């Protein structure tokens, strides 16, 4: 029973939050005349000493004391005697742990949002540098149309911006203080919950004592936002794995973010990217685990909820590490512009430009232009040529009105530059979006 009941190996990480909540609670009790000023002074000094002992690694943890709350109370009793027992007036471990955990998740959201913004800044630097670097744009992982590498990176800037927004939204919703809800019904002592909420940086106290101790949706929402962010990180990691492979060869990574093979001396493996890709599973699994814990619990508290912390700690540890690693890789990668440009010209990537030209210049309906372009592609394939190199006679066999002017729009660089609609891939549009995001992040 002691082994399954104890949580100190996990919730010892909540020590800073537990001490902060206790200090605020003690100060409020004294202001309200619930405990004496002398008792409060002793409690505050004792809590400060415990904080120092934990920080310096001198604090003794014992499984028999079950959790961080009992450890603090036991040590406080050793330091100041019976007055320590007054600290628990008008609160329960139920609202205490709800407070500690909410404080921790709030900090985790702030940390992850800052990590996402750091990654965005790194992407913006590279996107600005590569605003005119050609590469293939893909659908179904098949070459589709020429785009710029800067535009490709800016797609992730947008994704990570939404991820940071979701974490900030989750933080705003969780910023209500459960302290003072006690076990589940509130307390008969004349406490000031608004004062403790303000002292701990909350917008307000929670409005229902049962909801205060029974809910973990603040953690679920944060985990959901983190899981979506990890999914985006995984997609970028997968692209890095592809781009450094010989089949693509678009970028290189230094030894700082790759490892060698134990048997093949020529290898440089993108292990950091592969691990970021894998760690997304930790966040997705953590969300699933906690939602399964919560889905069948009647109000209010059940010991099942002790399982909320390990999975959340693990998830945000993985997210923090993945963000740092990805920011490092984005900064470290080097483009092979010539290889990317050659790939951008392959696979008849400017076929859409030909169809657009037929619509714009010859006035054809797009469906007819699409059909004629397909015939031109077939003729180019038969001769082993690109569309741009296909002789005019072959093009005019598709439609005799085609002129040499078509050849200009079949150039991949012209194709990318022509996509100048808002949000398009043209270098000018990419640079505008970079500047807009710099302003937003500033």
């Amino acid at each position: 029973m002691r082994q399954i009941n104890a949580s100190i190996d996990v919730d010892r990480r909540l020590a800073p939050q537990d001490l902060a909540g206790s200090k605020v609670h003690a100060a409020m009790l004294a202001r309200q005349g619930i405990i004496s000023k002398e008792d409060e002074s002793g409690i505050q000094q004792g809590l400060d000493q415990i904080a120092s002992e934990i920080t310096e690694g001198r604090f003794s943890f014992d499984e028999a004391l079950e959790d961080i709350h009992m450890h603090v109370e036991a040590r406080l009793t050793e330091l100041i005697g019976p007055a320590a027992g007054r600290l628990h007036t008008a609160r329960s471990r139920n609202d205490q742990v709800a407070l500690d955990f909410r404080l921790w998740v709030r900090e985790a959201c702030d940390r992850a949002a800052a990590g996402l913004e750091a990654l965005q800044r790194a992407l913006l630097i590279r996107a600005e540098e590569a605003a005119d670097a050609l590469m293939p744009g893909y659908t179904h992982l098949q070459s589709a149309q020429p785009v710029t590498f800067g535009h490709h990176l800016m797609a992730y800037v947008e994704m990570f911006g939404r991820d940071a927004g979701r974490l900030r939204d989750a933080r705003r919703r969780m910023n209500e203080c459960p302290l003072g809800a006690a076990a589940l019904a509130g307390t008969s002592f004349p406490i000031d919950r608004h004062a403790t909420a303000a002292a701990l940086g909350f917008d307000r106290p929670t409005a229902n004592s049962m909801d205060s101790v029974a809910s973990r949706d603040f953690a679920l929402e944060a985990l959901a936002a983190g899981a979506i962010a990890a999914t985006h990180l995984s997609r970028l990691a997968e692209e890095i794995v592809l781009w450094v492979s010989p089949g693509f060869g678009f970028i290189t990574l230094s030894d700082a973010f790759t490892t060698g093979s134990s048997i093949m001396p020529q290898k440089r493996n993108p292990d950091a990217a592969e691990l970021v890709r894998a760690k997304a599973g930790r966040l997705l699994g953590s969300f699933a685990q906690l939602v399964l814990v919560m889905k069948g619990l009647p109000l209010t508290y059940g010991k099942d909820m002790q399982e909320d912390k390990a999975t959340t700690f693990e998830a945000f540890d993985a997210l923090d590490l993945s963000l740092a690693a990805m920011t490092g890789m984005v900064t470290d990668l080097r483009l092979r512009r010539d290889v990317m440009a050659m790939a951008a010209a392959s696979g008849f990537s400017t076929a859409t430009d030909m169809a657009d030209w037929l619509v714009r210049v010859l006035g054809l309906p797009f469906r007819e232009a699409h059909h004629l372009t397909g015939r031109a592609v077939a003729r180019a394939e038969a001769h082993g040529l690109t569309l741009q190199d296909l002789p005019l006679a072959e093009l005019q066999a598709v439609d005799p009105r085609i002129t040499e002017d078509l050849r200009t729009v079949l150039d991949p660089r012209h194709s990318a530059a022509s996509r100048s609609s808002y949000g398009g891939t043209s270098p000018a549009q990419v640079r505008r979006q970079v500047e807009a995001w710099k302003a937003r992040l500033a």
Side-chain angles (χ1 to χ4, degrees):
M1 177 60 190
R2 185 173 73 181
Q3 194 171 15
I4 196 171
N5 198 46
S7 60
I8 188 59
D9 286 347
V10 172
D11 63 30
R12 62 195 297 173
R13 289 183 65 167
L14 294 177
Q17 292 78 19
D18 195 71
L19 291 166
S22 292
K23 288 177 71 67
V24 165
H25 185 66
M28 181 275 295
L29 292 175
R31 277 197 311 273
Q32 296 297 107
I34 299 170
I35 65 173
S36 69
K37 291 287 186 182
E38 293 74 20
D39 283 343
E40 189 225 345
S41 178
I43 288 170
Q44 297 287 5
Q45 291 176 25
L47 292 173
D48 288 339
Q49 182 169 335
I50 292 169
S52 296
E53 291 175 0
I54 292 174
T55 300
E56 296 165 10
R58 296 184 290 110
F59 192 87
S60 178
F61 293 97
D62 181 358
E63 189 182 76
L65 288 173
E66 189 181 327
D67 56 32
I68 188 61
H69 323 299
M70 296 304 295
H71 275 77
V72 170
E73 186 171 333
R75 180 58 178 146
L76 189 62
T77 301
E78 291 175 354
L79 292 171
I80 69 171
R86 295 193 169 89
L87 174 59
H88 207 56
T89 306
R91 75 175 182 181
S92 161
R93 275 196 293 178
N94 291 358
D95 64 335
Q96 195 176 351
V97 70
L99 169 68
D100 295 356
F101 192 35
R102 196 174 289 235
L103 286 169
W104 192 95
V105 175
R106 189 176 71 176
E107 293 169 13
C109 287
D110 289 341
R111 195 168 57 246
L116 283 161
E117 290 179 358
L119 175 54
Q120 286 180 287
R121 290 187 176 94
L123 286 164
L124 287 172
I125 291 171
R126 306 316 306 271
E128 190 169 29
E129 294 170 353
D132 60 351
L134 287 182
M135 69 174 290
Y138 297 96
T139 63
H140 309 279
L141 204 56
Q142 305 294 311
S143 182
Q145 291 179 279
V147 298
T148 59
F149 191 69
H151 189 56
H152 196 111
L153 294 184
M154 288 303 294
Y156 285 103
V157 171
E158 295 289 336
M159 293 183 210
F160 295 134
R162 293 192 297 273
D163 293 329
R166 273 184 281 269
L167 287 161
R168 285 192 289 266
D169 287 345
R171 190 206 193 280
R172 277 193 290 270
R173 260 182 293 283
M174 75 177 68
N175 206 35
E176 297 181 345
C177 183
L179 186 60
L184 76 159
T187 177
S188 59
F189 289 96
I191 61 173
D192 185 349
R193 293 191 63 208
H194 288 83
T196 51
L200 290 165
F202 289 100
D203 294 331
R204 64 192 69 85
T206 50
N208 182 282
S209 61
M210 296 179 74
D211 175 55
S212 302
V213 300
S215 297
R216 292 295 184 269
D217 56 331
F218 64 89
L220 284 170
E221 186 175 9
L223 285 170
I228 296 171
T231 302
H232 291 152
L233 286 167
S234 181
R235 295 183 73 178
L236 179 53
E238 168 67 5
E239 299 214 86
I240 289 174
V241 170
L242 291 173
W243 292 339
V244 298
S245 69
F248 284 77
F250 291 175
I251 66 170
T252 60
L253 286 171
S254 75
D255 291 343
F257 290 95
T258 57
T259 64
S261 165
S262 62
I263 189 172
M264 296 169 283
Q266 83 282 8
K267 295 290 293 298
R268 180 178 278 173
N269 300 320
D271 284 8
E274 291 169 359
L275 287 165
V276 168
R277 186 174 60 185
K279 285 183 184 297
R282 287 181 180 261
L283 281 108
L284 292 162
S286 294
F287 173 80
Q289 191 267 348
L290 183 53
V291 80
L292 287 167
V293 165
M294 298 302 299
K295 71 172 183 62
L297 295 186
L299 297 182
T300 54
Y301 182 83
K303 198 60 180 272
D304 316 50
M305 292 163 69
Q306 183 169 287
E307 293 297 308
D308 57 359
K309 288 172 283 297
T311 189
T312 305
F313 293 164
E314 182 182 64
F316 277 96
D317 287 348
L319 182 57
D320 290 344
L321 183 56
S322 296
L323 286 167
M326 185 56 73
T327 303
M329 283 185 283
V330 167
T331 303
D332 183 73
L333 67 83
R334 293 295 175 264
L335 303 189
R336 300 180 66 192
R337 286 176 175 251
D338 54 340
V339 176
M340 294 168 65
M342 287 178 60
S346 68
F348 306 103
S349 62
T350 56
T352 305
D353 297 271
M354 178 176 174
D356 289 347
W357 187 89
L358 293 173
V359 171
R360 187 170 54 251
V361 176
L362 302 186
L364 297 178
F366 182 80
R367 285 302 174 197
E368 185 179 349
H370 183 282
H371 174 69
L372 292 177
T373 301
R375 288 175 55 192
V377 168
R379 299 181 82 87
E381 280 183 319
H383 291 287
L385 298 171
T386 66
L387 273 177
Q388 192 176 14
D389 294 331
L390 195 64
L392 180 61
E394 291 289 333
L395 290 169
Q396 289 178 335
V398 172
D399 189 305
R401 294 173 293 173
I402 292 176
T403 68
E404 280 290 344
D405 291 342
L406 171 62
R407 213 171 296 284
T408 300
V409 305
L410 298 178
D411 175 54
R413 194 164 296 281
H414 179 278
S415 173
S418 72
R419 309 293 172 186
S420 57
S421 57
Y422 180 82
T425 193
S426 73
Q429 277 295 327
V430 171
R431 293 185 179 103
R432 287 191 191 100
Q433 293 299 324
V434 167
E435 291 305 316
W437 266 105
K438 283 181 180 178
R440 286 175 66 175
L441 291 173

